Amino acid sequence: MITTGIIGYPLEVTLSPRMHKAAFKEANIEGVYLKMVVRPEHLKTALQALKMNGFRGVNVTNPHKEALLLFVSDITDTAREVGAVNTVLFRDDEIIGDNTDVFGFQRSLDNLPLRIGDTAVLLIGAGGVARAAAFGLSQRQLQDFFIVNRTVSKARHLAKKYGAEALSLDEMPSALSRAKLVINATSVDMQSSVIANLSKDSWYLDLNYRYTLQERNGIRMVNGLEMLVYQGARSFEIWTKKKPSIETMKKVLGM
Ligand code: NAP
């Protein structure tokens, strides 16, 4: 039996259990995936308890992605680069932190019919997921790369690391008129600030998957479900050493 799950707080809605349960079933693996609400002050104790109770690993969501770095025995290069852990593997006596958001994001980019290297890209956000996206984008040799964030100092830090141009939210309209791909990696719906300023054949990728995206002015809209599936698939592989059926995972999410 492989026991896994997701920890977060308050962790109200998550599609991960549905996706992983279907993947276990399809792969003929006796596995469980539990949703576990863990308060920040209990994170360390919870990790020890999961390890002692034979969990193979867990996904980690807000607000624990950064705090977890303090409690792991080792982290992968990707998690170190991004400064956030979204997947934990309990192996022997170790707690290993990984970040599969980068892989999930890269795959969702690959599935867009765009030559990313030739595209002017605007990334909105500088939190955990934005850092994963910025790292992923930095590997695509972008011609124009803008990073916008409410707290502009964080955008500057990220932009400096990955050779992008940092802008405040007030400065965003000028970059929007040049961007062919806009990625919203904030925790708020940015459609009203973005769409009116985008040119006709642009793409808007919102890494959140809960908003209703309204196609307007010929702008193509994509949500974060694709990324969710691929980051989950990579976690599944880390825990089971088997590739899950992407088709099955997508099917249970209605994709
Ligand atoms: P986070 O670390 O808390 O970062 C939040 C970001 O949103 C920061 O850049 C923050 O700006 C910005 N923000 C928050 N409130 C804002 C407001 N009122 N106006 C403007 N900007 C605001 O969160 P995260 O973990 O990166 O998650 C970001 C999004 O990614 C969430 O919507 C989440 O659902 C989604 N997500 C998707 C997947 C997937 O697989 N598709 C996986 C994980 C997360 P400041 O720096 O100024 O605070």
Side-chain angles (χ1 to χ4, degrees):
M1 166 79 81
I2 294 182
T3 312
T4 62
I6 182 164
I7 59 171
Y9 184 82
L11 194 58
E12 275 149 5
V13 186
T14 169
L15 297 176
S16 295
R18 203 192 301 171
M19 197 167 71
H20 282 277
K21 282 175 190 172
F24 277 134
K25 194 170 172 207
E26 177 70 28
N28 257 324
I29 295 173
E30 204 184 330
V32 291
Y33 189 99
L34 304 171
K35 176 182 164 185
M36 293 165 287
V37 178
V38 173
R39 286 178 172 274
E41 61 270 30
H42 297 147
L43 180 59
K44 188 178 179 186
T45 325
L47 276 176
Q48 294 300 337
L50 293 168
K51 184 155 87 80
M52 277 169 53
N53 282 289
F55 272 68
R56 179 69 57 87
V58 282
N59 281 135
V60 180
T61 187
N62 285 336
H64 304 317
K65 283 181 166 184
E66 279 120 37
L68 219 128
L69 290 166
L70 299 171
F71 305 123
V72 291
S73 20
D74 201 0
I75 55 168
T76 61
D77 290 345
T78 312
R80 185 175 294 111
E81 175 71 32
V82 173
V85 167
N86 84 325
T87 302
V88 165
L89 172 69
F90 298 109
R91 193 177 61 195
D92 304 325
D93 218 22
E94 285 188 314
I95 302 177
I96 299 158
D98 204 338
N99 187 307
T100 68
D101 283 336
V102 177
F103 177 81
F105 174 75
Q106 295 271 32
R107 290 306 307 268
S108 68
L109 274 192
D110 292 341
N111 289 348
L112 293 179
L114 273 175
R115 284 161 59 96
I116 303 292
D118 300 338
T119 308
V121 178
L122 169 62
L123 173 67
I124 316 173
V129 170
R131 294 201 301 275
F135 175 47
L137 288 164
S138 73
Q139 299 175 340
R140 307 279 174 134
Q141 277 88 45
L142 302 179
Q143 279 185 1
D144 286 304
F145 184 13
F146 306 97
I147 300 177
V148 173
N149 194 46
R150 177 178 63 177
T151 310
V152 73
S153 58
K154 289 201 221 163
R156 282 198 199 107
H157 178 78
L158 204 54
K160 192 172 172 201
K161 191 171 177 187
Y162 295 120
E165 189 179 329
L167 300 167
S168 66
L169 278 175
D170 289 342
E171 294 166 320
M172 186 162 68
S174 63
L176 283 171
S177 60
R178 289 166 61 189
K180 283 282 168 269
L181 170 62
V182 175
I183 299 160
N184 179 27
T186 72
S187 40
V188 290
D189 189 347
M190 284 282 170
Q191 286 179 83
S192 60
S193 326
V194 167
I195 304 303
N197 294 298
L198 265 180
S199 62
K200 221 175 174 179
D201 51 351
S202 319
W203 287 79
Y204 180 70
L205 169 59
D206 197 321
L207 300 184
N208 196 301
Y209 48 80
R210 290 188 200 111
Y211 308 136
T212 306
L213 299 180
Q214 290 170 343
E215 304 255 346
R216 270 171 288 171
N217 310 337
I219 297 155
R220 272 75 53 94
M221 317 283 268
V222 183
N223 70 18
L225 269 182
E226 194 93 7
M227 173 174 168
L228 179 81
V229 168
Y230 284 103
Q231 62 77 29
R234 186 77 192 105
S235 300
F236 184 97
E237 206 179 328
I238 289 168
W239 299 325
T240 65
K241 310 259 184 293
K242 288 198 168 73
K243 284 191 194 298
S245 161
I246 298 289
E247 203 187 329
T248 299
M249 292 171 96
K250 285 187 174 178
K251 201 167 154 197
V252 289
L253 300 187
M255 294 169 73

mmCIF file of all heavy atoms in Angstrom, residues 1-4 20-33 54-56 236 239-240 242:
data_model
loop_
_atom_site.group_PDB
_atom_site.id
_atom_site.type_symbol
_atom_site.label_atom_id
_atom_site.label_comp_id
_atom_site.label_asym_id
_atom_site.label_seq_id
_atom_site.Cartn_x
_atom_site.Cartn_y
_atom_site.Cartn_z
ATOM 1 N N MET A 1 0.839 -1.208 0.000
ATOM 2 C CA MET A 1 0.000 0.000 0.000
ATOM 3 C C MET A 1 0.873 1.258 0.000
ATOM 4 O O MET A 1 1.802 1.355 0.785
ATOM 5 C CB MET A 1 -0.902 -0.025 1.262
ATOM 6 C CG MET A 1 -1.573 1.277 1.590
ATOM 7 S SD MET A 1 -3.021 1.606 0.575
ATOM 8 C CE MET A 1 -4.241 0.610 1.437
ATOM 9 N N ILE A 2 0.573 2.167 -0.914
ATOM 10 C CA ILE A 2 1.307 3.433 -0.961
ATOM 11 C C ILE A 2 0.390 4.535 -0.426
ATOM 12 O O ILE A 2 -0.684 4.780 -0.983
ATOM 13 C CB ILE A 2 1.756 3.755 -2.404
ATOM 14 C CG1 ILE A 2 2.791 2.715 -2.868
ATOM 15 C CG2 ILE A 2 2.329 5.158 -2.499
ATOM 16 C CD1 ILE A 2 3.338 2.970 -4.253
ATOM 17 N N THR A 3 0.819 5.151 0.668
ATOM 18 C CA THR A 3 -0.016 6.192 1.271
ATOM 19 C C THR A 3 0.576 7.569 0.986
ATOM 20 O O THR A 3 1.746 7.822 1.282
ATOM 21 C CB THR A 3 -0.149 5.978 2.796
ATOM 22 O OG1 THR A 3 -0.479 4.611 3.027
ATOM 23 C CG2 THR A 3 -1.226 6.861 3.376
ATOM 24 N N THR A 4 -0.245 8.417 0.385
ATOM 25 C CA THR A 4 0.188 9.763 0.014
ATOM 26 C C THR A 4 -0.935 10.745 0.372
ATOM 27 O O THR A 4 -1.951 10.342 0.929
ATOM 28 C CB THR A 4 0.468 9.862 -1.499
ATOM 29 O OG1 THR A 4 -0.760 9.597 -2.187
ATOM 30 C CG2 THR A 4 1.528 8.876 -1.964
ATOM 31 N N HIS A 20 -5.185 11.770 -8.297
ATOM 32 C CA HIS A 20 -4.245 10.731 -7.874
ATOM 33 C C HIS A 20 -4.941 9.390 -7.639
ATOM 34 O O HIS A 20 -4.383 8.341 -7.956
ATOM 35 C CB HIS A 20 -3.485 11.175 -6.615
ATOM 36 C CG HIS A 20 -2.385 12.152 -6.938
ATOM 37 N ND1 HIS A 20 -1.146 11.760 -7.377
ATOM 38 C CD2 HIS A 20 -2.360 13.494 -6.922
ATOM 39 C CE1 HIS A 20 -0.398 12.830 -7.603
ATOM 40 N NE2 HIS A 20 -1.117 13.901 -7.344
ATOM 41 N N LYS A 21 -6.154 9.439 -7.103
ATOM 42 C CA LYS A 21 -6.878 8.180 -6.875
ATOM 43 C C LYS A 21 -7.123 7.484 -8.200
ATOM 44 O O LYS A 21 -6.963 6.267 -8.334
ATOM 45 C CB LYS A 21 -8.212 8.452 -6.155
ATOM 46 C CG LYS A 21 -8.024 8.689 -4.663
ATOM 47 C CD LYS A 21 -9.343 9.074 -4.007
ATOM 48 C CE LYS A 21 -9.090 9.535 -2.589
ATOM 49 N NZ LYS A 21 -10.290 10.091 -1.960
ATOM 50 N N ALA A 22 -7.505 8.255 -9.205
ATOM 51 C CA ALA A 22 -7.746 7.681 -10.536
ATOM 52 C C ALA A 22 -6.452 7.120 -11.115
ATOM 53 O O ALA A 22 -6.447 6.049 -11.739
ATOM 54 C CB ALA A 22 -8.320 8.750 -11.470
ATOM 55 N N ALA A 23 -5.350 7.814 -10.895
ATOM 56 C CA ALA A 23 -4.063 7.359 -11.433
ATOM 57 C C ALA A 23 -3.618 6.068 -10.748
ATOM 58 O O ALA A 23 -3.099 5.153 -11.407
ATOM 59 C CB ALA A 23 -3.013 8.449 -11.251
ATOM 60 N N PHE A 24 -3.831 5.961 -9.439
ATOM 61 C CA PHE A 24 -3.483 4.720 -8.723
ATOM 62 C C PHE A 24 -4.295 3.550 -9.290
ATOM 63 O O PHE A 24 -3.755 2.480 -9.570
ATOM 64 C CB PHE A 24 -3.801 4.850 -7.218
ATOM 65 C CG PHE A 24 -2.730 5.549 -6.415
ATOM 66 C CD1 PHE A 24 -3.056 6.541 -5.504
ATOM 67 C CD2 PHE A 24 -1.394 5.188 -6.537
ATOM 68 C CE1 PHE A 24 -2.075 7.184 -4.754
ATOM 69 C CE2 PHE A 24 -0.399 5.815 -5.784
ATOM 70 C CZ PHE A 24 -0.748 6.820 -4.895
ATOM 71 N N LYS A 25 -5.572 3.794 -9.468
ATOM 72 C CA LYS A 25 -6.474 2.738 -9.947
ATOM 73 C C LYS A 25 -6.038 2.260 -11.332
ATOM 74 O O LYS A 25 -5.922 1.055 -11.586
ATOM 75 C CB LYS A 25 -7.908 3.276 -9.976
ATOM 76 C CG LYS A 25 -8.955 2.212 -10.117
ATOM 77 C CD LYS A 25 -10.331 2.789 -9.895
ATOM 78 C CE LYS A 25 -11.371 1.726 -10.248
ATOM 79 N NZ LYS A 25 -12.616 2.309 -10.673
ATOM 80 N N GLU A 26 -5.802 3.210 -12.211
ATOM 81 C CA GLU A 26 -5.414 2.894 -13.586
ATOM 82 C C GLU A 26 -4.085 2.120 -13.629
ATOM 83 O O GLU A 26 -3.894 1.224 -14.450
ATOM 84 C CB GLU A 26 -5.281 4.212 -14.381
ATOM 85 C CG GLU A 26 -4.818 4.070 -15.815
ATOM 86 C CD GLU A 26 -5.863 3.424 -16.708
ATOM 87 O OE1 GLU A 26 -7.066 3.564 -16.414
ATOM 88 O OE2 GLU A 26 -5.451 2.771 -17.692
ATOM 89 N N ALA A 27 -3.175 2.450 -12.712
ATOM 90 C CA ALA A 27 -1.851 1.801 -12.701
ATOM 91 C C ALA A 27 -1.873 0.491 -11.898
ATOM 92 O O ALA A 27 -0.826 -0.134 -11.719
ATOM 93 C CB ALA A 27 -0.824 2.760 -12.111
ATOM 94 N N ASN A 28 -3.050 0.123 -11.382
ATOM 95 C CA ASN A 28 -3.168 -1.090 -10.571
ATOM 96 C C ASN A 28 -2.289 -1.056 -9.331
ATOM 97 O O ASN A 28 -1.684 -2.053 -8.943
ATOM 98 C CB ASN A 28 -2.768 -2.317 -11.388
ATOM 99 C CG ASN A 28 -3.995 -3.059 -11.833
ATOM 100 O OD1 ASN A 28 -4.980 -3.128 -11.087
ATOM 101 N ND2 ASN A 28 -3.942 -3.580 -13.047
ATOM 102 N N ILE A 29 -2.194 0.130 -8.760
ATOM 103 C CA ILE A 29 -1.397 0.288 -7.537
ATOM 104 C C ILE A 29 -2.369 0.479 -6.381
ATOM 105 O O ILE A 29 -3.309 1.272 -6.472
ATOM 106 C CB ILE A 29 -0.459 1.521 -7.639
ATOM 107 C CG1 ILE A 29 0.585 1.308 -8.736
ATOM 108 C CG2 ILE A 29 0.222 1.803 -6.309
ATOM 109 C CD1 ILE A 29 1.447 2.546 -9.022
ATOM 110 N N GLU A 30 -2.121 -0.259 -5.304
ATOM 111 C CA GLU A 30 -2.964 -0.076 -4.136
ATOM 112 C C GLU A 30 -2.457 1.184 -3.427
ATOM 113 O O GLU A 30 -1.399 1.161 -2.775
ATOM 114 C CB GLU A 30 -2.829 -1.296 -3.224
ATOM 115 C CG GLU A 30 -4.020 -1.489 -2.327
ATOM 116 C CD GLU A 30 -3.811 -2.645 -1.371
ATOM 117 O OE1 GLU A 30 -3.098 -3.595 -1.740
ATOM 118 O OE2 GLU A 30 -4.347 -2.560 -0.264
ATOM 119 N N GLY A 31 -3.146 2.275 -3.647
ATOM 120 C CA GLY A 31 -2.644 3.534 -3.093
ATOM 121 C C GLY A 31 -3.763 4.403 -2.573
ATOM 122 O O GLY A 31 -4.903 4.315 -3.035
ATOM 123 N N VAL A 32 -3.425 5.238 -1.608
ATOM 124 C CA VAL A 32 -4.410 6.208 -1.123
ATOM 125 C C VAL A 32 -3.807 7.609 -1.167
ATOM 126 O O VAL A 32 -2.585 7.784 -1.092
ATOM 127 C CB VAL A 32 -4.900 5.917 0.326
ATOM 128 C CG1 VAL A 32 -5.729 4.675 0.397
ATOM 129 C CG2 VAL A 32 -3.744 5.845 1.298
ATOM 130 N N TYR A 33 -4.678 8.584 -1.297
ATOM 131 C CA TYR A 33 -4.262 9.987 -1.356
ATOM 132 C C TYR A 33 -5.222 10.764 -0.469
ATOM 133 O O TYR A 33 -6.412 10.881 -0.774
ATOM 134 C CB TYR A 33 -4.309 10.481 -2.800
ATOM 135 C CG TYR A 33 -3.703 11.856 -2.994
ATOM 136 C CD1 TYR A 33 -2.399 11.998 -3.477
ATOM 137 C CD2 TYR A 33 -4.425 13.007 -2.701
ATOM 138 C CE1 TYR A 33 -1.841 13.263 -3.658
ATOM 139 C CE2 TYR A 33 -3.873 14.268 -2.874
ATOM 140 C CZ TYR A 33 -2.586 14.390 -3.357
ATOM 141 O OH TYR A 33 -2.020 15.638 -3.539
ATOM 142 N N GLY A 54 4.271 5.793 7.974
ATOM 143 C CA GLY A 54 4.547 5.045 6.748
ATOM 144 C C GLY A 54 4.101 5.708 5.462
ATOM 145 O O GLY A 54 3.979 5.027 4.435
ATOM 146 N N PHE A 55 3.849 7.019 5.491
ATOM 147 C CA PHE A 55 3.499 7.710 4.240
ATOM 148 C C PHE A 55 4.685 7.641 3.286
ATOM 149 O O PHE A 55 5.835 7.736 3.698
ATOM 150 C CB PHE A 55 3.152 9.180 4.517
ATOM 151 C CG PHE A 55 1.709 9.410 4.851
ATOM 152 C CD1 PHE A 55 1.172 8.922 6.041
ATOM 153 C CD2 PHE A 55 0.887 10.094 3.975
ATOM 154 C CE1 PHE A 55 -0.164 9.129 6.344
ATOM 155 C CE2 PHE A 55 -0.452 10.304 4.266
ATOM 156 C CZ PHE A 55 -0.980 9.814 5.466
ATOM 157 N N ARG A 56 4.403 7.477 1.980
ATOM 158 C CA ARG A 56 5.456 7.501 0.962
ATOM 159 C C ARG A 56 5.848 8.943 0.636
ATOM 160 O O ARG A 56 6.994 9.247 0.358
ATOM 161 C CB ARG A 56 4.942 6.801 -0.309
ATOM 162 C CG ARG A 56 5.925 6.771 -1.467
ATOM 163 C CD ARG A 56 7.127 5.862 -1.207
ATOM 164 N NE ARG A 56 6.754 4.495 -0.902
ATOM 165 C CZ ARG A 56 6.545 3.546 -1.812
ATOM 166 N NH1 ARG A 56 6.686 3.809 -3.091
ATOM 167 N NH2 ARG A 56 6.205 2.321 -1.430
ATOM 168 N N PHE A 236 3.499 11.836 -8.598
ATOM 169 C CA PHE A 236 3.113 10.418 -8.633
ATOM 170 C C PHE A 236 4.328 9.561 -8.988
ATOM 171 O O PHE A 236 4.586 8.522 -8.376
ATOM 172 C CB PHE A 236 1.997 10.246 -9.673
ATOM 173 C CG PHE A 236 1.406 8.863 -9.768
ATOM 174 C CD1 PHE A 236 0.223 8.550 -9.097
ATOM 175 C CD2 PHE A 236 2.011 7.879 -10.542
ATOM 176 C CE1 PHE A 236 -0.338 7.284 -9.203
ATOM 177 C CE2 PHE A 236 1.457 6.605 -10.648
ATOM 178 C CZ PHE A 236 0.274 6.309 -9.975
ATOM 179 N N TRP A 239 6.851 9.229 -6.180
ATOM 180 C CA TRP A 239 6.434 8.325 -5.100
ATOM 181 C C TRP A 239 6.397 6.861 -5.528
ATOM 182 O O TRP A 239 6.657 5.982 -4.724
ATOM 183 C CB TRP A 239 5.026 8.705 -4.602
ATOM 184 C CG TRP A 239 4.917 10.079 -4.034
ATOM 185 C CD1 TRP A 239 5.882 10.750 -3.307
ATOM 186 C CD2 TRP A 239 3.812 10.977 -4.128
ATOM 187 N NE1 TRP A 239 5.426 11.990 -2.963
ATOM 188 C CE2 TRP A 239 4.152 12.164 -3.438
ATOM 189 C CE3 TRP A 239 2.551 10.892 -4.725
ATOM 190 C CZ2 TRP A 239 3.294 13.248 -3.329
ATOM 191 C CZ3 TRP A 239 1.688 11.972 -4.619
ATOM 192 C CH2 TRP A 239 2.070 13.133 -3.926
ATOM 193 N N THR A 240 6.017 6.615 -6.787
ATOM 194 C CA THR A 240 5.756 5.226 -7.195
ATOM 195 C C THR A 240 6.803 4.662 -8.159
ATOM 196 O O THR A 240 6.809 3.477 -8.427
ATOM 197 C CB THR A 240 4.395 5.119 -7.921
ATOM 198 O OG1 THR A 240 4.489 5.879 -9.148
ATOM 199 C CG2 THR A 240 3.240 5.653 -7.081
ATOM 200 N N LYS A 242 6.630 5.086 -11.165
ATOM 201 C CA LYS A 242 5.871 4.738 -12.379
ATOM 202 C C LYS A 242 5.223 5.990 -12.938
ATOM 203 O O LYS A 242 4.748 6.844 -12.189
ATOM 204 C CB LYS A 242 4.772 3.730 -12.047
ATOM 205 C CG LYS A 242 5.294 2.345 -11.750
ATOM 206 C CD LYS A 242 4.159 1.328 -11.866
ATOM 207 C CE LYS A 242 4.684 -0.087 -11.864
ATOM 208 N NZ LYS A 242 5.159 -0.524 -10.551
#
